[in-house]
Amino acid sequence: MGMTSTEAGLSGGRVRVQLLRVPDCPLVEQVRATLQECLLQSPIPVVVEELEGPYPSPTLLIDGVDVATGKAPSRDACCRLDLPTRTQILDALQRSRP
């Protein structure tokens, strides 16, 4: 799923990556580290944004799609144990290539 022209304009033609989290989430560092590994392997230009609030935490979105589920993100705050894998992140980046 690619970006719309409006999204592309906002992120300068880069893939939008968002890490949603609640304050003090104990699992966010693991997702952050996995994401960083994937970004070092991928030539795809991205804009990474971390958002703190009442989200299922941690949730990794690439172009608005939850990497772990392939769906739109849930709106209910909760602790998530289904962390995205390296394969899921790399596949999502490839699908979202600008």
Side-chain angles (χ1 to χ4, degrees):
M1 178 169 150
M3 292 186 287
T4 66
S5 59
T6 302
E7 290 171 323
L10 291 174
S11 59
R14 298 176 182 205
V15 173
R16 181 183 293 175
V17 177
Q18 295 173 302
L19 179 56
L20 310 180
R21 61 185 178 87
V22 296
D24 302 318
C25 175
L27 299 174
V28 74
E29 188 55 43
Q30 184 176 342
V31 174
R32 193 182 288 131
T34 304
L35 173 62
Q36 185 63 33
E37 287 176 26
C38 292
L39 294 178
L40 290 172
Q41 286 186 317
S42 175
I44 298 169
V46 300
V47 172
V48 178
E49 178 180 33
E50 279 198 37
L51 301 171
E52 188 175 288
Y55 305 110
S57 182
T59 296
L60 184 64
L61 305 179
I62 295 184
D63 285 344
V65 177
D66 186 325
V67 172
T69 66
K71 300 178 182 177
S74 170
R75 299 188 193 279
D76 300 322
C78 64
C79 182
R80 290 187 68 166
L81 302 177
D82 60 335
L83 304 183
T85 65
R86 291 178 73 245
T87 300
Q88 288 173 318
I89 295 170
L90 290 169
D91 287 349
L93 286 168
Q94 191 65 17
R95 283 191 304 272
S96 296
R97 179 175 240 160

